[in-house]
Amino acid sequence: MKSKTNYYKDISTLLKGLQTVTPISESFHIHQFKDTPDTWIKETTIFRSNTYAIILLTKGKAKYKIGLSEYIIGDNSLYFMAPKHLRYYNRLSDWEGFVIVFMDSFITDNDTLKKLVSQFEGFGTASKVVINLTSEETEESKRIFQWLYDIAYTESPLKFEKARALLGLLMIHSTELYSQKYKYIDAKLSKQHRIIKAFDQIIEEHLYDITQDRVSQILSIAEIAGKININATYLGEVVKKHTGKTPKQILSERIILEAKSFLRNTDMSISEIAFMLKFQDASNFSKFFKAKTGISPTFFK
């Protein structure tokens, strides 16, 4: 059997899996795309990573899938990924710029930085995760990334403390840009976006737990709402307002995305995938899949 959807538990396994550079530490890493070897994978399968990532693309083009959203990313863009979100990319041309990868462990002891990261809208799958930059914004962003890069590759015993401070500056800079671009500054919207973020996080973590056989059944929308301490009706109103879809539609789409990744990337049978995704049997799974996609799982595989 081929491997399941790749899951990279830390920075080392992520960079090794992508066949790129060696990390500078297990909790924080930065490199420039010009540093990458020829072995760096051009197009991935769908994967998960227990890492945050912030990427400044000053030149290049890529197709990216983050959660349920697909993006074509080009010159002068800043984009973000959070732990356990399904990801896929295809480099459509050579890239120039920087990538930062860090773990929760890197920010745990810094309350200010932890708050900046946890409240940043760009790390939510229902939010926009790409900021298109002007030339001036690109240059300002590049200065922060370059400063971080230069600090990270010194021999200073305090380089990671400096890196945390600069990562905090980058998060403040990103939050300002995000607010300017998407105008998420109203208090009511902020509360609702926190609900969206919590909804996304619960789904992402729940789907991961399902694939690891840690739960016995898929959560209901009411159970998800309960975890956010709101009722299902209000959750439905908030999710519909900000995504145009109901919570049930989004959950179904995520199940389909998970199913597609296993159909495409493994030799698991339809019955095995149905059992793993907590369907009663292969017939129910096939009916669900065809109703959502228009084709059978067998045909898709």
Side-chain angles (χ1 to χ4, degrees):
M1 182 183 295
K2 296 177 185 177
S3 63
K4 298 180 180 181
T5 303
N6 288 328
Y7 175 71
Y8 302 118
K9 63 180 181 179
D10 52 35
I11 294 175
S12 289
T13 55
L14 171 64
L15 298 183
K16 183 177 180 180
L18 300 180
Q19 299 179 30
T20 184
V21 300
T22 301
I24 60 175
S25 82
E26 291 300 334
S27 60
F28 175 84
H29 172 77
I30 181 172
H31 68 263
Q32 297 189 56
F33 291 121
K34 67 180 183 180
D35 300 333
T36 56
D38 293 337
T39 55
W40 181 28
I41 293 176
K42 179 181 178 182
E43 181 176 9
T44 68
T45 57
I46 296 173
F47 69 93
R48 296 179 183 274
S49 175
N50 196 29
T51 57
Y52 293 90
I54 307 175
I55 297 94
L56 175 64
L57 190 64
T58 58
K59 185 177 181 180
K61 188 176 182 181
K63 179 180 179 182
Y64 244 101
K65 189 174 186 74
I66 304 172
L68 289 172
S69 302
E70 293 185 357
Y71 303 87
I72 296 295
I73 300 172
D75 297 355
N76 299 330
S77 58
L78 190 61
Y79 60 102
F80 310 88
M81 289 172 285
K84 296 186 179 179
H85 294 164
L86 282 177
R87 311 175 190 180
Y88 156 90
Y89 72 77
N90 181 6
R91 290 186 287 127
L92 303 176
S93 66
D94 291 338
W95 290 0
E96 294 180 13
F98 298 82
V99 57
I100 291 171
V101 185
F102 63 95
M103 304 281 290
D104 272 320
S105 58
F106 187 70
I107 64 175
T108 299
D109 295 331
N110 187 314
D111 291 340
T112 299
L113 180 55
K114 186 176 180 180
K115 184 177 180 180
L116 286 167
V117 170
S118 66
Q119 295 184 354
F120 179 58
E121 294 289 344
F123 285 134
T125 55
S127 304
K128 302 292 185 182
V129 300
V130 180
I131 302 176
N132 295 316
L133 307 173
T134 65
S135 297
E136 292 78 12
E137 290 166 344
T138 299
E139 287 304 310
E140 183 178 2
S141 302
K142 187 176 178 180
R143 285 195 293 271
I144 300 173
F145 275 86
Q146 186 68 57
W147 197 0
L148 257 167
Y149 179 85
D150 292 341
I151 288 293
Y153 287 90
T154 67
E155 297 300 321
S156 169
L158 296 176
K159 67 179 181 181
F160 292 116
E161 289 302 314
K162 296 176 181 178
R164 285 186 186 90
L166 289 172
L167 181 59
L169 174 62
L170 179 59
M171 291 308 306
I172 293 170
H173 172 68
S174 299
T175 300
E176 180 182 42
L177 288 173
Y178 202 88
S179 295
Q180 291 172 351
K181 300 292 182 179
Y182 299 116
K183 305 185 187 308
Y184 292 155
I185 56 177
D186 180 83
K188 184 178 179 181
L189 283 181
S190 296
K191 178 183 176 182
Q192 292 185 349
H193 278 279
R194 285 196 294 272
I195 291 173
I196 295 283
K197 185 173 182 178
F199 175 68
D200 291 336
Q201 183 175 350
I202 290 168
I203 289 179
E204 291 298 323
E205 292 182 354
H206 183 54
L207 265 293
Y208 177 68
D209 286 342
I210 285 173
T211 64
Q212 301 302 303
D213 200 27
R214 294 174 179 169
V215 295
S216 59
Q217 61 185 17
I218 293 175
L219 287 172
S220 68
I221 300 303
E223 289 171 326
I224 294 174
K227 288 179 176 289
I228 309 174
N229 295 318
I230 59 175
N231 63 54
T233 300
Y234 183 57
L235 175 63
E237 292 172 355
V238 172
V239 172
K240 181 73 172 179
K241 176 181 176 181
H242 292 282
T243 70
K245 301 174 183 177
T246 67
K248 187 175 181 180
Q249 286 175 317
I250 291 176
L251 179 58
S252 294
E253 288 177 4
R254 278 296 289 106
I255 294 169
I256 289 294
L257 183 59
E258 206 77 44
K260 285 180 175 180
S261 71
F262 281 94
L263 289 165
R264 180 176 293 150
N265 300 320
T266 77
D267 287 332
M268 295 173 71
S269 68
I270 304 299
S271 294
E272 287 175 322
I273 294 172
F275 178 77
M276 182 195 65
L277 294 177
K278 311 308 176 187
F279 285 83
Q280 291 181 342
D281 51 44
S283 176
N284 283 330
F285 169 67
S286 295
K287 289 178 182 177
F288 174 82
F289 190 93
K290 188 168 185 178
K292 302 300 179 183
T293 67
I295 58 175
S296 70
T298 304
F299 183 84
F300 179 85
K301 189 174 180 66

